[in-house]
């Protein structure tokens, strides 16, 4: 990817954080860059700003990722993961993006729901789902446990903790565990969900840095 190559070049150059600079963050106030050098300059400022945020969080003790990589390496990995996920976009998702843009152009309260989106919508309306009872997010290519839902299967099991990274998912008590690093969050969730009383095995990189396999019996979660 050409843009990823540009990002790699920008991150490889030392940045001076003592220089006074400004950048426009409201997209509606921006025009498309007129030249390649203008686009590169915008990316330079954006990446420098993101590096500064990572450095500030680390200095203030607010970095909860547990990642020991320097900010430049972390940013590069983040964008590499983003590019991989964009290449994983399937036809259903592209159709959903297009039809939602089309419907909202006519009516801001109308949108298109793909079968996958509709399934998640019905879960939120029923206020129950079948799975392990963990709220997940995607951070730098990792599926991270954001929260353990009280009373759910993972909460009763007790081994999965907030902040743990799920790096592999396997179905049943035996067999292969599929690597899910850089996999889209929706696809990881689809692997983890399943009928109550069935078992899912999770390969975990814990907040303490150790790796382990956790087998959890799925349940219906309110």
């Amino acid at each position: 990817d050409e843009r990823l190559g540009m990002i790699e070049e920008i991150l490889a150059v030392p940045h001076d954080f003592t220089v006074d600079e400004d950048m426009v963050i409201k997209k509606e106030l921006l025009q498309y860059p007129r030249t390649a050098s203008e686009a590169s300059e915008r990316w330079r400022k954006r990446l420098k700003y993101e590096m500064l945020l990572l450095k500030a969080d680390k200095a203030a003790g607010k970095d909860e990722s547990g990642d020991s990589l320097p900010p430049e390496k972390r940013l590069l990995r983040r964008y590499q993961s983003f590019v991989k996920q964009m290449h994983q976009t399937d036809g259903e998702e592209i159709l959903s993006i297009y039809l939602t843009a089309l419907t909202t152009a006519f009516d801001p309260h109308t949108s298109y729901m793909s079968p996958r989106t509709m399934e998640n919508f019905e879960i939120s309306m029923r206020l129950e789902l079948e799975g392990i009872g963990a709220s997940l997010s995607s951070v730098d290519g990792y599926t991270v446990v954001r929260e353990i839902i009280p009373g759910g299967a993972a909460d009763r099991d007790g081994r999965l903790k907030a902040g743990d990274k799920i790096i592999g998912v396997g179905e049943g008590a035996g067999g292969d565990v599929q690597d899910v690093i850089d996999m889209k969050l929706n696809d990881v969730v689809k692997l983890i969900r399943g009928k109550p009383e069935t078992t899912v095995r999770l390969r975990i990189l814990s907040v303490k840095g150790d790796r382990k396999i956790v087998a959890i019996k799925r349940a219906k979660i309110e």
Side-chain angles (χ1 to χ4, degrees):
D1 188 277
E2 188 177 333
R3 189 171 297 176
L4 185 58
M6 180 179 64
I7 290 171
E8 290 175 350
E9 289 178 8
I10 293 171
L11 290 174
V13 176
H15 293 266
D16 185 357
F17 293 101
T18 65
V19 177
D20 248 350
E21 290 188 295
D22 57 70
M23 60 182 284
V24 179
I25 59 174
K26 290 187 176 180
K27 292 181 181 178
E28 59 268 24
L29 300 179
L30 283 170
Q31 300 290 329
Y32 280 104
R34 291 165 292 184
T35 63
S37 60
E38 187 178 332
S40 179
E41 178 63 7
R42 286 189 189 177
W43 271 101
R44 183 190 68 79
K45 288 184 176 180
R46 171 176 173 165
L47 293 166
K48 183 177 179 180
Y49 173 68
E50 290 180 344
M51 269 195 285
L52 190 60
L53 290 178
L54 290 174
K55 286 176 180 287
D57 283 348
K58 190 158 190 143
K62 295 180 181 177
D63 184 3
E64 299 176 355
S65 67
D67 203 325
S68 59
L69 286 175
E72 296 84 356
K73 299 276 189 187
R74 286 181 62 185
L75 278 179
L76 180 57
R77 188 181 64 191
R78 180 181 299 174
Y79 281 101
Q80 287 171 335
S81 174
F82 177 75
V83 168
K84 286 179 183 177
Q85 289 184 32
M86 287 301 100
H87 285 302
Q88 292 172 9
T89 303
D90 56 31
E92 180 184 297
E93 290 170 310
I94 293 172
L95 180 66
S96 178
I97 293 167
Y98 170 73
L99 290 179
T100 296
L102 182 66
T103 56
T104 51
F106 291 99
D107 177 13
H109 305 294
T110 303
S111 63
Y112 168 79
M113 286 188 181
S114 66
R116 194 179 302 159
T117 305
M118 187 64 188
E119 180 187 355
N120 288 330
F121 176 74
E122 289 176 342
I123 287 171
S124 67
M125 294 302 290
R126 289 197 309 266
L127 298 180
E128 66 178 25
L129 59 85
E130 296 172 347
I132 63 170
S135 177
L136 308 176
S137 62
S138 182
V139 180
D140 295 346
Y142 287 101
T143 299
V144 180
V145 179
R146 189 173 60 202
E147 179 187 4
I148 302 295
I149 299 172
D155 183 39
R156 293 197 299 271
D157 180 85
R159 289 175 291 173
L160 194 64
K161 305 293 182 184
D164 286 350
K165 296 172 181 175
I166 298 174
I167 58 176
V169 179
E171 182 62 35
D176 295 334
V177 175
Q178 183 177 348
D179 187 346
V180 297
I181 296 174
D182 288 326
M183 186 182 286
K184 288 186 303 182
L185 184 61
N186 281 341
D187 291 343
V188 179
V189 169
K190 190 175 180 180
L191 291 173
I192 295 174
R193 282 180 185 165
K195 294 181 180 180
E197 299 305 312
T198 60
T199 298
V200 61
R201 285 174 297 127
L202 307 176
R203 180 178 288 125
I204 302 299
L205 179 59
S206 76
V207 288
K208 296 179 181 177
D210 57 315
R211 297 182 182 227
K212 57 186 176 182
I213 297 285
V214 174
I216 298 176
K217 190 171 283 189
R218 299 180 180 104
K220 184 172 285 189
I221 297 131
E222 301 292 335

